[in-house]
Amino acid sequence: MGEKILMKGNEAVAEAAIRAGCRHYFAYPITPQNELIEYMAKRMPQVGGTCLQAESEVAAINMVLGAAACGVRAMTSSSSPGISLKQEGISYIAACRLPAVIINVQRGGPGLGNIAPMQCDYFQATRGGGHGDYYTPVLAPSSVQEFADMAPEAFDLAEKYLTPVLIFADGLLGQMMEPVTFEDDYGPQSDKSGWSLGCRKGRKNNHIINSLFIDPYVLKEKTEELFKVYDTIVKNEIRYEYYNVDANPKILVVAFGTVARVVKTAIDELKDQGLEVGLVRPITLWPFPYKAVKEAAKKVEKVITVELNMGQMEQDVRLAVGDTCPTQVIGKAGGVVFTPMEVISMLKENLA
Amino acid sequence: MKQRILCAGFGGQGALLIGKLVVTAGMIEGKHVTWLPSYGPEMRGGTANVMAVISDKPVGSPIFTRIDTLVALNQPSLDKFLPQVVEGGMVLFNSDLCDKGASKNGICIVGIPLNKFGEQVGDIKASNMVALGALIELTGCVENKTVQDDLKHMLEKKNPTLLARNLEALEIGRKFVVESAQ
Amino acid sequence: MKILAKRPKGLTDARLTYCPGCLHGVAHRIIGEAMEELDIVEKTIGIAPVGCSVFAYNFFACDMIQVPHGRAPAVATGMRRAQPDCVVFTYQGDGDLAAIGTAETVHAANRNENISIFFINNAIYGMTGGQMAPTTLPNMRATTAPYGRDVADMGYPMRVCEMLATLETPYYIERVSLLSPKDILKAKKAVKKALKYNKEKKGFCLVEMVSTCPTNWGLDPLASIDWAKKNMLPVFPVGVFKDEAKRQEASK
């Protein structure tokens, strides 16, 4: 473990990706993720890697597709409007069963929106995002350290299940500085010689990577295979954090990423006032921790989803809670991040 | 211990750097810190502010609306954030750019001629270092020596002239607070 | 018994799925032969587009990938960065390359990516059933230009080689045709040159091949060749538009 360095989230995740063996990064500038591409532009030449500023987000994701098909750790990053442009490529990468990492440093939407931190791409992120029947694992960090740690994790997941993996941050986590440490060694990459292109070295048969299955029965089979993989991911990879759930709270909050941090501060201050609130923080948004939310909901009077959008994750929370107890959503548009005071007063209204 | 510090000023006055240096010192001293800038159009010469938190415990929200210590480098920043300063909190403002000054019950307010001091050490850009010296003395949230060592670590080889100027500015700020407390 | 003709090592045994009289088979064959002659089948990655040649991944014997419509040059960029010692080629039609993939083509050329683009221009969308292409000739009919391409409304056909040749960096750009045995031999020479340049890591190569589409032009194969000679070649003249090797030699 190295020494603590004060870094922006955008820089920390880039550094962690490089330390995890990523040497191929393709992206297009967009606020608030510019520090990421700029950091890569500076660092990649120092480690003999490639940082290429593509002509568009569409081109960037397809460069990732090409590099990933050749068996290297490839990554791209963008912010909301740019992630929309990448969806075509992400769908192909998912269908071709290629490992790749995509980072969304979310901003306000819809349309050009603004550059403030938001969580309004939740539906897009957790429901595949592009065309076709597929999902991508979605990791949602809540601190700069966690943002950084998720780079090697995302590559490992991507290679384990041969799928694109999305790291789902926001402008605040990208711009904020916190102390961060990096592991000295992030472990080996998986062997990709069984399917990758271009390193034939005496291999007799050529490798073909393809997502076209013109025969409906073949496409059916291929899609069912894909969903068997998703079943395994759902079984093995769900991650979440419980906070103050054991304190017999009357209310349970579900929040992720930036918002979960603010809620934690609110919970601590309410505790000082003798009021108990619990928090489930989903760390994987797909697969979503339905069971964990349901379990925690059994002991409370109400479940409140707090998110920086008009209510998207709350649909998953309602699926999880069912008729166990009433639910409510506190959402906010525009990229105005909740303050602890705001959350405290909203929770107090419910505790009265 | 938890210090929520807000530094604000015109873009280019170095408000963000004050915050960065104070949280870096906090990190070196083993404390939990966050540094959250306003970003975007503010970078283009408008107003800039940063929320810095230094705490013994892990920092939940990096955003706050209750300020323990405000560093206001101009009048608009002072006007905007003064109402958010908590009782028992502190305000440090640039008396060269805040003609109206400030008053609020229950908080300690220090006006300091940052521009004048900056020019005194040879560069008006060093006025944020004066503010930093004053901030550290006023709050005690990090050790003066930690900041000095950090600056030395960064600048000793790269730019010794700048280092000397910054250390001098830091000391002027510190002394100003010590003397005005007497 | 003497073997007079056989499949080149660059092609698989799979039966081509193209229409009778289609020249994709010819283009495939000369690329396959060039790969064999340069002994690069094992170190080549081919990229199949969206269009009639979408199934090209079944026909070439090198490593193959099928990619999104128009994005082949971007995918090739990622590949050649990941596998700098490989030869990477894309095989694209006029819609794929000059409409939806214009940006990717121009920028890959401008970065002088060490890749070859084989661009089949038959002035029509084949796979989707005869819609207008960026290279459709003035007044030529297409299902989406049922009264003929009106240049006042839809612009003139785009000349890709001429356009790319204005860029400083691309290494080699040539237009050939597949309209006679002699032209095919010339085309093969151009294809081989491009792949050789890539093998030598010289940079961006594009070979445009003027071709036909008997099915969607509504002509029999021979008539479509005559039609192409008469109508396509004046708009898309064959020739070398850029060859840095030649230029450097001449300036010595």
Side-chain angles (χ1 to χ4, degrees), chain A residues 24 26 52 55 58-59 62-63 65-67 69-70 72 88 92 197-200 202-203 206-210 212, chain C residues 41-42 45 54-55 57 60-68 71 74-75 78-79 81-83 86 104 107 111:
Chain A
H24 293 84
F26 309 91
L52 201 154
E55 58 270 27
V58 177
N62 281 285
M63 291 172 188
L65 167 64
C70 288
V72 300
E88 173 199 52
Y92 274 75
L197 305 184
C199 27
R200 213 154 153 178
R203 157 160 61 81
N206 66 333
H207 283 163
I208 297 172
I209 293 176
N210 174 35
L212 175 69
Chain C
V41 179
E42 297 223 328
I45 309 173
V54 68
F55 292 113
Y57 58 83
F60 289 106
C62 53
D63 278 359
M64 290 296 296
I65 186 169
Q66 192 288 312
V67 303
R71 315 294 173 226
V75 175
M79 289 184 150
R81 303 282 173 150
Q83 294 282 1
C86 283
E104 285 80 0
H107 286 274
R111 288 190 302 265

Side-chain angles (χ1 to χ4, degrees), chain A residues 4-239:
Chain A
K4 276 187 184 170
I5 310 167
L6 191 71
M7 275 180 124
K8 286 192 169 196
N10 282 336
E11 298 166 341
V13 73
E15 177 63 29
I18 288 172
R19 290 183 189 223
C22 173
R23 292 292 179 275
H24 293 84
Y25 170 84
F26 309 91
Y28 186 85
I30 183 170
T31 310
Q33 68 85 55
N34 292 320
E35 293 82 2
L36 216 167
I37 180 171
E38 285 163 1
Y39 190 88
M40 287 296 200
K42 201 172 83 188
R43 278 286 278 141
M44 276 301 194
Q46 296 170 356
V47 295
T50 295
C51 168
L52 201 154
Q53 180 175 332
E55 58 270 27
S56 68
E57 280 97 347
V58 177
I61 190 72
N62 281 285
M63 291 172 188
V64 168
L65 167 64
C70 288
V72 300
R73 288 197 156 176
M75 184 168 102
T76 186
S77 63
S78 190
S79 180
S80 309
I83 295 292
S84 293
L85 285 170
K86 289 185 197 295
Q87 292 303 336
E88 173 199 52
I90 297 172
S91 169
Y92 274 75
I93 293 170
C96 290
R97 302 288 317 276
L98 293 173
V101 174
I102 299 115
I103 299 174
N104 184 356
V105 184
Q106 285 175 95
R107 56 187 262 176
L112 197 51
N114 62 23
I115 57 171
M118 279 198 75
Q119 302 179 324
C120 51
D121 303 343
Y122 182 91
F123 285 152
Q124 183 195 56
T126 57
R127 268 67 182 165
H131 62 284
D133 229 351
Y134 76 98
Y135 292 95
T136 57
V138 182
L139 306 175
S142 190
S143 68
V144 171
Q145 181 69 58
E146 199 177 23
F147 196 4
D149 291 344
M150 279 177 178
E153 282 167 24
F155 276 115
D156 288 344
L157 270 179
E159 289 177 0
K160 187 173 170 191
Y161 297 103
L162 297 178
T163 175
V165 174
L166 184 67
I167 302 178
F168 199 55
D170 62 47
L172 186 142
L173 287 162
Q175 297 294 326
M176 179 170 65
M177 284 207 272
E178 278 188 301
V180 56
T181 57
F182 300 100
E183 300 285 332
D184 296 328
D185 182 13
Y186 282 106
Q189 301 184 25
S190 70
D191 175 20
K192 301 162 189 108
S193 62
W195 52 264
S196 66
L197 305 184
C199 27
R200 213 154 153 178
K201 289 178 195 144
R203 157 160 61 81
K204 201 168 160 245
N205 296 324
N206 66 333
H207 283 163
I208 297 172
I209 293 176
N210 174 35
S211 66
L212 175 69
F213 305 106
I214 208 87
D215 180 339
Y217 289 97
V218 177
L219 181 58
K220 176 177 173 286
E221 214 171 277
K222 289 280 177 189
T223 310
E224 284 166 359
E225 265 172 41
L226 199 55
F227 274 70
K228 271 185 200 145
V229 176
Y230 295 151
D231 286 346
T232 322
I233 295 174
V234 170
K235 212 174 110 194
N236 296 338
E237 307 297 345
I238 290 174
R239 287 176 54 202

Side-chain angles (χ1 to χ4, degrees), chain B residues 20-157:
Chain B
K20 189 180 169 186
L21 290 171
V22 77
V23 299
T24 304
M27 175 185 77
I28 293 167
E29 291 174 8
K31 299 181 173 95
H32 296 274
V33 300
T34 58
W35 177 94
L36 178 66
S38 58
Y39 60 89
E42 289 93 338
M43 288 160 68
R44 316 277 178 262
T47 59
N49 70 69
V50 61
M51 296 186 196
V53 182
I54 302 177
S55 173
D56 291 336
K57 290 186 205 146
V59 183
S61 176
I63 292 174
F64 49 82
T65 43
R66 290 187 301 175
I67 300 165
D68 295 316
T69 304
L70 169 66
V71 180
L73 301 180
N74 61 14
Q75 187 76 51
S77 302
L78 186 56
D79 294 345
K80 186 175 174 189
F81 295 111
L82 183 63
Q84 295 179 19
V85 179
V86 296
E87 211 178 308
M90 286 171 282
V91 175
L92 207 160
F93 72 88
N94 184 359
S95 56
D96 286 334
L97 287 180
C98 303
D99 303 335
K100 286 194 284 168
S103 71
K104 189 180 174 186
N105 286 338
I107 58 174
C108 163
I109 298 179
V110 180
I112 172 166
L114 294 175
N115 290 23
K116 197 190 88 186
F117 283 144
E119 279 162 4
Q120 191 181 312
V121 299
D123 190 346
I124 193 167
K125 279 194 252 168
S127 56
N128 64 337
M129 292 297 132
V130 181
L132 177 63
L135 170 70
I136 297 164
E137 186 58 34
L138 208 55
T139 61
C141 62
V142 295
E143 297 290 327
N144 193 32
K145 187 175 178 304
T146 317
V147 178
Q148 285 175 341
D149 289 349
D150 182 39
L151 282 172
K152 281 178 196 159
H153 176 72
M154 277 192 296
L155 294 172
E156 205 147 44
K157 281 184 194 141

